[in-house]
């Protein structure tokens, strides 16, 4: 404005300037959501004559075409397989509902039974063969017995019971043997069963020559043995241990031994099939004193075996164990 007044004073026309009227700034109108329109039904929505919109549902796959005009023929093999499967199912059902239920339902009841106690055979039942000899009461028992034995024929590897009678026909008992042999064995007779004892003859084939070489003679050699059932094995063993001190001198006549040929000063230990044996050789195992107490657990019994050689005691052990 001041510039225009100055121009008027000087006689100048004021320059006309274009005056631009700016409209006031317009504040942005708040946006309003468009009005909701009611959804059109499929019948109202049209794109043209005869054209309809597709439904929004997922289309179902078309079912495979099946020709029912002519039935298919099944394979014979398939029929057989189906038949077998059907039979198997039937039998499986029968087993499950009948047989299996019976097995489950039936519970066996065990009645405890007492284990029968085995009774061991007597020596006369184990050794059926026997031979009778007579020795008068006036004779020396050991000498007469050896002379009688020489007249007998022993059987190789076999035992024979010697039934010894006096001149009156009375049979010698175990206590008679001990008394006739002039043997003093404290406690031994009390530990043995006199009703199950026997004097035996054995036919031995094992022999040694003077050089200690073993050979087997075709003619068996007679050996004497004594077997008796023990009532108390501990008492029998204790009596035998005590008897070892004088056993050689008291049996030298019966077993025909030379104490000077003893291979050891005392009795030694041996084992046969788990059975402990005490022995003393003169000089070799075919002339010896061998003894043991064998336990027959299945019969709950024990037996004393006293023999004149290693072979005869081995055979006696096998004899008793195999009864």
């Amino acid at each position: 404005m001041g510039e225009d007044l100055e121009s008027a004073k000087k006689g100048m026309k004021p320059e006309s300037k274009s005056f631009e009227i700016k409209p006031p700034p317009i504040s942005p109108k708040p946006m309003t959501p468009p009005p909701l329109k009611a959804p059109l039904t499929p019948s109202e929505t049209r794109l043209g004559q005869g054209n309809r919109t597709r439904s929004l549902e997922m289309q179902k796959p078309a079912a495979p075409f099946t020709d029912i005009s002519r039935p298919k023929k099944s394979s014979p093999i398939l029929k057989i397989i189906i038949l077998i499967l059907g039979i198997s199912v039937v039998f499986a059902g029968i087993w499950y509902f009948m047989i299996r239920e019976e097995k489950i339902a039936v519970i066996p009841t065990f009645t405890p039974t007492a284990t029968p106690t085995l009774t061991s055979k007597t020596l006369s039942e184990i050794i059926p063969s026997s031979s009778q000899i007579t020795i008068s009461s006036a004779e020396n028992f050991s000498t007469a017995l050896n002379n009688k034995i020489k007249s007998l024929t022993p059987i190789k590897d076999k035992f024979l019971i010697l039934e010894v009678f006096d001149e009156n026909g009375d049979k010698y008992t175990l206590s008679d043997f001990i008394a006739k042999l002039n043997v003093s064995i404290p406690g031994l007779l009390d530990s043995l069963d006199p009703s199950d004892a026997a004097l035996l003859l054995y036919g031995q084939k094992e022999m040694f020559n003077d050089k200690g070489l073993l050979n087997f003679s075709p003619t068996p050699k007679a050996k004497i043995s004594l077997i008796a059932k023990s009532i108390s094995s501990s008492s029998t063993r204790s009596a035998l241990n005590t008897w070892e001190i004088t056993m050689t001198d008291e049996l030298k006549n019966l077993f025909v031994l030379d104490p000077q040929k003893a291979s050891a000063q005392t009795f030694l230990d041996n084992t046969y099939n788990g059975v402990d044996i005490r022995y003393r050789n003169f000089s070799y195992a075919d002339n010896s004193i061998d003894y043991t107490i064998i336990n027959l657990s299945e019969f709950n019994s024990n037996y004393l075996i006293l023999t004149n050689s290693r072979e005869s005691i081995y055979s006696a052990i096998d004899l008793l164990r195999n009864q």
Side-chain angles (χ1 to χ4, degrees), residues 233-291:
S233 60
S234 59
S235 299
T236 302
R237 190 174 301 279
S238 177
L240 291 170
N241 289 338
T242 303
W243 191 25
E244 281 189 4
I245 300 173
T246 60
M247 189 181 293
T248 300
D249 289 333
E250 293 179 335
L251 294 179
K252 66 181 179 181
N253 294 329
L254 178 65
F255 288 164
V256 190
L257 302 174
D258 184 0
Q260 301 299 322
K261 293 183 178 181
S263 59
Q265 296 297 319
T266 59
F267 279 77
L268 305 176
D269 293 320
N270 188 18
T271 302
Y272 176 72
N273 285 346
V275 178
D276 295 330
I277 300 172
R278 293 283 288 172
Y279 76 97
R280 195 179 186 188
N281 294 336
F282 306 90
S283 298
Y284 304 107
D286 59 339
N287 288 293
S288 67
I289 299 175
D290 283 68
Y291 75 86

Side-chain angles (χ1 to χ4, degrees), residues 304-322:
L304 163 66
I305 304 174
L306 176 65
T307 67
N308 188 202
S309 68
R310 177 180 63 184
E311 180 187 334
S312 60
I313 197 168
Y314 287 177
S315 296
I317 291 172
D318 292 337
L319 177 69
L320 293 178
R321 277 193 163 175
N322 295 330

Side-chain angles (χ1 to χ4, degrees), residues 111-154:
T111 303
T113 56
T115 304
T117 304
L118 298 176
T119 304
S120 60
K121 298 178 181 179
T122 61
L123 292 174
S124 59
E125 292 174 330
I126 299 172
I127 309 169
S129 301
S130 64
S131 181
Q132 296 183 4
I133 57 177
T134 301
I135 300 176
S136 67
S137 57
E139 294 179 276
N140 181 283
F141 189 84
S142 298
T143 302
L145 180 60
N146 285 314
N147 290 333
K148 296 290 183 177
I149 288 175
K150 290 178 182 179
S151 64
L152 300 176
T153 303

Side-chain angles (χ1 to χ4, degrees), residues 28-196:
K29 295 181 180 181
M31 294 182 67
T32 58
L36 294 176
K37 294 181 180 181
L40 297 178
T41 60
S43 59
E44 295 176 350
T45 305
R46 297 183 179 183
L47 297 177
Q49 186 66 27
N51 293 330
R52 296 172 180 262
T53 59
R54 296 181 180 179
S55 174
L56 297 178
E57 297 178 356
M58 295 292 294
Q59 292 185 356
K60 296 181 180 180
F65 175 75
T66 303
D67 187 4
I68 61 174
S69 62
R70 192 172 51 181
K72 292 183 178 180
K73 294 183 179 180
S74 58
S75 173
I77 299 177
L78 181 60
K79 290 182 178 180
I80 294 173
I81 295 174
I82 294 174
L83 179 61
I84 293 173
L85 290 176
I87 294 173
S88 301
V89 171
V90 171
F91 275 101
I94 293 173
W95 175 87
Y96 183 84
F97 291 104
M98 296 180 66
I99 300 176
R100 182 174 178 271
E101 288 182 359
E102 289 180 2
K103 290 182 178 179
I104 295 174
V106 177
I107 300 175
T109 303
F110 296 98
T111 303
T113 56
T115 304
T117 304
L118 298 176
T119 304
S120 60
K121 298 178 181 179
T122 61
L123 292 174
S124 59
E125 292 174 330
I126 299 172
I127 309 169
S129 301
S130 64
S131 181
Q132 296 183 4
I133 57 177
T134 301
I135 300 176
S136 67
S137 57
E139 294 179 276
N140 181 283
F141 189 84
S142 298
T143 302
L145 180 60
N146 285 314
N147 290 333
K148 296 290 183 177
I149 288 175
K150 290 178 182 179
S151 64
L152 300 176
T153 303
I155 304 173
K156 185 171 62 176
D157 300 331
K158 299 296 182 180
F159 284 95
L160 182 71
I161 292 180
L162 293 176
E163 295 181 339
V164 186
F165 296 87
D166 62 11
E167 66 274 18
N168 298 320
D170 296 327
K171 187 176 180 179
Y172 286 100
T173 63
L174 178 61
S175 59
D176 294 332
F177 290 147
I178 301 298
K180 287 293 183 179
L181 293 173
N182 295 321
V183 174
S184 175
I185 317 172
L188 182 62
L189 286 177
D190 295 335
S191 68
L192 301 177
D193 182 1
S195 64
D196 197 9

